[in-house]
Amino acid sequence: MDFRFTEEQELFRQKVRDMVDRLIKPRVAEIDRTDEFPRDLWDKVAELGFLGLRHPEAYGGSAADVITSMIFYEELARGSCGFAMAVTMQILMGTYFVARFGSEEIKQRVLVPAIKGEKIGTICFTEEQSGSDLGGVRTRAVSKDGGWVLTGNKMWITNGPMADFCTVLATTDPDAGMKGLSFFLVEKGVDGFSAGQTIDKLGAHGSITGELIFDGVWVPGENLLGEGPGDGVRYTTAILNEVRVMTAMCACAIADEAMRDARDYANARVAFGKPIAKYQLIRAKFAKHWAWFEAARTLAYKAAWMIQAGLECGSECMLAKMFATEMCQSAVDEASRIYGGNSFATDYPQQRFFRDARFLLFGGGCHEVLQNALGAAYLRKG
Ligand SMILES: Cc1cc2nc3c(=O)[nH]c(=O)nc-3n(C[C@H](O)[C@H](O)[C@H](O)COP(=O)(O)OP(=O)(O)OC[C@H]3O[C@@H](n4cnc5c(N)ncnc54)[C@H](O)[C@@H]3O)c2cc1C
């Protein structure tokens, strides 16, 4: 076994870290306070070629391996969690279906500008009444004039209010449940497509999240992204593995930032005549979370390695997501306790870590849903 990253991967990590330290970290508090999407940073990330990390060179991407992409997500999330969410949406879910199933014309019109950062994309699964349960999706796609008419509302869509294009999950056969679902490309400017309310979120500020409305939107037949109607859920599974490990990486990054920040505070803060870092109960928090952090990060990189190697790893990706996001909740809780009352002040970063960590619990599968699936997988295991 060899746990080391390659020299190329280490150089890549340093490049991303430099960018985050120089451009993003000095802006984090401002992004969190204003909750505005930092378009200039987006353009910079695009200019550095990061938006095309997982896409073929022929379309302007860099076709990076899975481990390298995970290094990127981990380093990016050390800056602003919200901005990282907007960027990861573009790299992964927002462009995946277009890249995999789009015609050459669609790829030139949508994927190429998305990689350059000129067009913003997103994915639309969630509706008011259905999140974890995709079988509850009510957005309808009805065949008409060689294309499809889409009608329904999507909720909680990252990048939604500013999206130039979106991949929409809709049912072509409501009686078929999960087997009636397909993905459709909808582009800004078509009749009947509009943005609804923007959601005022607890955390992950800087990524704009909201509702999208499809009121009898007609799209041509080639906008059905897949080999035929009804295959949507099957295709989702492939990209979900990467999304889950990406979320685990972001959780590790937030936990690490929170703990490092708390360490500086513990060394500087004096109580009862000595720095609080000298007290055993404070040291125990660092010892426990160092171990949990290492375990979570190792699990996440192992899952990434399994995806890269083409191995069956649905359970490992769920384990990585479940463990890292729970580790992160515990880390931001304990780190904020080390800050005492100051953890409650917006002048200090601990309250931001605390709020941002909550978001990671939901996307890519809620804790309970992953537990259900993993419990069932364990019972089937040999
Ligand atoms: C900031 C943010 C950004 C998002 N961005 C997007 C996006 O870009 N696109 C998109 O489509 N969606 C997006 N979502 C939505 C996200 O994917 C959903 O929140 C998620 O799928 C969970 O669905 P839900 O919120 O409807 O919860 P529900 O599915 O209603 O679940 C509620 C609770 O019930 C539990 N539960 C559900 N089923 C079971 C079960 N079988 N057994 C035990 N417990 C269960 C869940 O674990 C949870 O605790 C975003 C959400 C947030 C918070």
Side-chain angles (χ1 to χ4, degrees):
M1 288 181 81
D2 187 347
F3 279 100
R4 285 169 301 185
F5 295 101
T6 65
E7 203 182 316
E8 224 181 358
Q9 286 165 342
E10 292 288 10
L11 286 170
F12 178 77
R13 182 185 292 284
Q14 202 49 54
K15 181 180 164 185
V16 183
R17 188 170 289 193
D18 286 348
M19 190 254 317
V20 170
D21 285 348
R22 210 162 34 82
L23 301 177
I24 302 181
K25 281 196 171 175
R27 301 264 302 274
V28 174
E30 167 215 323
I31 295 168
D32 186 45
R33 194 180 62 253
T34 62
D35 195 10
E36 281 168 13
F37 175 62
R39 184 75 202 213
D40 60 323
L41 292 180
W42 174 270
D43 292 341
K44 191 70 198 168
V45 167
E47 189 188 311
L48 291 167
F50 296 135
L51 295 182
L53 265 186
R54 296 287 290 131
H55 294 307
E57 291 172 359
Y59 299 99
S62 50
D65 61 82
V66 178
I67 303 270
T68 300
S69 70
M70 294 302 162
I71 290 172
F72 176 74
Y73 308 138
E74 188 184 17
E75 292 304 322
L76 189 68
R78 288 182 186 282
S80 151
C81 169
F83 181 63
M85 289 308 113
V87 170
T88 54
M89 168 57 77
Q90 181 88 348
I91 297 174
L92 286 170
M93 292 285 222
T95 47
Y96 173 80
F97 291 91
V98 167
R100 183 165 168 195
F101 298 111
S103 64
E104 189 54 32
E105 202 201 324
I106 285 178
K107 284 182 191 158
Q108 293 299 334
R109 192 173 71 239
V110 174
L111 182 61
V112 171
I115 289 172
K116 288 183 187 159
E118 294 163 2
K119 284 193 176 178
I120 297 179
T122 188
I123 188 100
C124 309
F125 294 104
T126 307
E127 300 180 2
E128 188 73 50
Q129 77 295 334
S130 80
S132 310
D133 177 15
L134 295 182
V137 163
R138 288 194 196 139
T139 298
R140 277 298 309 265
V142 177
S143 173
K144 189 180 176 195
D145 298 338
W148 298 90
V149 176
L150 269 66
T151 306
N153 287 25
K154 294 289 180 179
M155 193 48 103
W156 278 108
I157 306 305
T158 302
N159 296 348
M162 54 193 190
D164 295 292
F165 65 96
C166 49
T167 305
V168 184
L169 189 67
T171 179
T172 55
D173 181 358
D175 294 332
M178 299 270 217
K179 292 193 174 136
L181 297 170
S182 304
F183 288 103
F184 298 86
L185 170 66
V186 175
E187 292 168 79
K188 194 174 176 174
V190 296
D191 285 346
F193 174 43
S194 61
Q197 58 168 310
T198 295
I199 299 170
D200 188 13
K201 305 196 300 295
L202 176 71
H205 290 168
S207 71
I208 312 299
T209 310
E211 179 187 23
L212 290 178
I213 300 165
F214 305 88
D215 184 10
V217 175
W218 184 84
V219 294
E222 65 165 5
N223 284 32
L224 190 159
L225 300 172
E227 279 147 25
D231 272 347
V233 170
R234 185 158 63 88
Y235 301 138
T236 304
T237 313
I239 185 67
L240 259 186
N241 282 349
E242 274 189 60
V243 170
R244 285 174 174 151
V245 183
M246 174 275 288
T247 310
M249 291 299 171
C250 294
C252 288
I254 292 173
D256 196 32
E257 288 293 310
M259 274 292 158
R260 284 170 185 271
D261 181 71
R263 181 179 60 187
D264 294 343
Y265 190 86
N267 279 324
R269 179 76 178 181
V270 174
F272 303 100
K274 54 185 179 182
I276 58 172
K278 298 266 185 212
Y279 294 109
Q280 285 183 344
L281 286 175
I282 297 290
R283 290 183 171 190
K285 296 184 197 301
F286 291 114
K288 173 177 157 186
H289 287 95
W290 188 4
W292 282 20
F293 166 76
E294 289 292 339
R297 190 168 181 259
T298 305
L299 196 53
Y301 273 112
K302 180 190 168 198
W305 172 82
M306 290 180 83
I307 299 174
Q308 181 65 40
L311 301 170
E312 177 53 53
C313 58
S315 294
E316 284 76 6
C317 295
M318 285 194 273
L319 286 172
K321 200 255 164 181
M322 184 178 78
F323 186 59
T325 53
E326 287 302 325
M327 177 279 294
C328 184
Q329 306 309 307
S330 174
V332 297
D333 176 27
E334 296 281 37
S336 73
R337 286 169 198 245
I338 291 169
Y339 256 72
N342 282 338
S343 69
F344 221 55
T346 52
D347 287 350
Y348 294 98
Q350 285 298 332
Q351 44 77 34
R352 175 168 48 80
F353 296 133
F354 197 83
R355 287 181 289 110
D356 285 348
R358 301 299 295 176
F359 159 65
L360 301 170
L361 288 173
F362 313 118
C366 293
H367 184 83
E368 294 78 3
V369 173
L370 297 180
Q371 274 187 315
N372 261 348
L374 283 166
Y378 190 80
L379 291 169
R380 281 195 308 269
K381 220 162 104 86

